[in-house]
Amino acid sequence: MPDCCVQGFEWDGTPVGRETKLADLDAYVTGSNDEVALLLIHDLFGWTFTNVRVLADQYAAEIHATVYVPDFFGGEVIEPEIVRDFARLRQLDMPGFLARNSKVTREAEILACARALRARYKKVGAVGFCFGGWAVFRCGARSHDPPLVDCISTAHPSMLELDEVENINVPVQIMAPENDPMFSPELKETCNRVIPSKGLPYDYQFFPGVEHGFAIRGNRHDRAECDAMVRGIGCVVAWFKYWLHLKGT
């Protein structure tokens, strides 16, 4: 996995939610809607990363949903300071980390969390960043009957494979940066060809001039990245407001 998956910036802000349990996993939860839930699947910095918690708070407030960020790395945390420290970044045992947190290892936990939310809430969505990208596609797979989630959204997904795209069975939103080795032009073309062919609602948002990680680790002091981040938040909020509140009401 390229360095882009652990590069970026740590944001300012103080999370306002609390820690709880979801499907026997530690989880951050924020918001207080008893009917609408959003499962946020984190990137490589995990569930304690300030950025992911601050973003969850904003989603909870603007989408009007209860947002859960479970720990899908078994308590293992990449220190957030590494996000700007290239020397320490080079020392990371990324192959070992990914082996311990592979799809085979973590998929059952991710689906268990989606099932727990489906059992409790009327509407459920899933949003994933980087590592969480492949996972939201698994949550929305056609093998789940009834569906575990009502819709999904992902920004700069990593490790996404063709069969996961082909098996999707719920409305999909993708936020795609122009420069992204993990979400290549070929994979973008595949998504843009396969998903519409299924007759599914599909919202593909292209972000020129920015790179992998912009939506969860972008530089708020860089005008282009900040604009992309703000636009990305607006896209996610509008998507889930429609599918979790307006659609079917």
Side-chain angles (χ1 to χ4, degrees), residues 9 11 27 34-35 42 60 71 87 100 117 122 165 170 193 208 215-216 225 227 235 238-239 248:
F9 294 83
W11 301 340
D34 293 333
E35 295 190 343
H42 52 67
D71 173 18
R100 292 188 296 275
L117 296 181
K122 181 178 178 181
V165 177
V170 298
R193 172 174 47 81
I216 194 71
E225 286 193 19
D227 287 349
C235 290
W239 179 254

Side-chain angles (χ1 to χ4, degrees), residues 15 18 29 35 52 54 67 95-96 109 129 177 203 219:
R18 60 185 176 84
V29 62
E35 295 190 343
V52 77
V54 169
V67 182
E109 296 176 339
F129 300 89
D203 180 32
N219 183 359

Side-chain angles (χ1 to χ4, degrees), residues 1-11 42-46 49 51-52 55 80 82-84 89 129-131 156 158 182 211-220 225 229:
M1 185 171 285
D3 292 344
C4 64
C5 291
V6 283
Q7 289 178 350
F9 294 83
E10 186 176 12
W11 301 340
H42 52 67
D43 69 350
L44 292 184
F45 284 94
F49 191 32
N51 296 23
V52 77
L55 190 57
I82 291 176
V83 79
R84 295 188 301 270
L89 186 155
F129 300 89
C130 186
F131 173 89
H156 38 79
S158 295
M182 299 304 297
E211 301 179 353
H212 181 94
F214 80 92
I216 194 71
R217 300 187 303 273
N219 183 359
R220 288 183 166 178
E225 286 193 19
M229 288 160 47

Side-chain angles (χ1 to χ4, degrees), residues 70 77 87 106 127 142 156 163 192 204 216:
V77 173
R106 299 302 174 192
V127 58
R142 64 187 176 195
H156 38 79
D163 65 322
N192 288 333
Y204 180 83
I216 194 71

Side-chain angles (χ1 to χ4, degrees), residues 10-174:
E10 186 176 12
W11 301 340
D12 297 325
T14 302
V16 300
R18 60 185 176 84
E19 294 185 3
T20 185
K21 291 283 188 177
L22 180 66
D24 295 325
L25 298 181
D26 289 331
Y28 177 79
V29 62
T30 180
S32 58
N33 191 313
D34 293 333
E35 295 190 343
V36 177
L38 183 64
L39 177 62
L40 196 164
I41 305 176
H42 52 67
D43 69 350
L44 292 184
F45 284 94
W47 76 298
T48 60
F49 191 32
T50 298
N51 296 23
V52 77
R53 294 190 173 195
V54 169
L55 190 57
D57 291 340
Q58 187 160 1
Y59 287 161
E62 295 194 26
I63 299 170
H64 188 42
T66 301
V67 182
Y68 291 81
V69 187
D71 173 18
F72 292 123
F73 290 158
E76 187 172 6
V77 173
I78 294 177
E79 294 300 324
E81 294 79 11
I82 291 176
V83 79
R84 295 188 301 270
D85 190 332
F86 291 99
R88 291 181 64 189
L89 186 155
R90 291 286 191 272
Q91 296 172 4
L92 281 177
D93 176 19
M94 192 56 64
F97 181 86
L98 292 173
R100 292 188 296 275
N101 299 289
S102 66
K103 293 183 179 184
V104 172
T105 302
R106 299 302 174 192
E107 181 181 14
E109 296 176 339
I110 291 166
L111 297 183
C113 286
R115 289 191 183 96
L117 296 181
R118 174 56 84 196
R120 178 175 175 182
Y121 292 89
K122 181 178 178 181
K123 290 291 187 77
V124 179
V127 58
F129 300 89
C130 186
F131 173 89
W134 67 268
V136 297
F137 272 81
R138 295 283 183 99
C139 289
R142 64 187 176 195
S143 57
H144 306 306
D145 185 19
L148 296 183
V149 296
D150 295 290
C151 58
I152 66 169
S153 174
T154 181
H156 38 79
S158 295
M159 302 187 290
L160 184 61
E161 299 178 76
L162 176 59
D163 65 322
E164 293 162 339
V165 177
E166 291 179 335
N167 288 329
I168 193 65
N169 198 43
V170 298
V172 179
Q173 180 185 66
I174 295 178

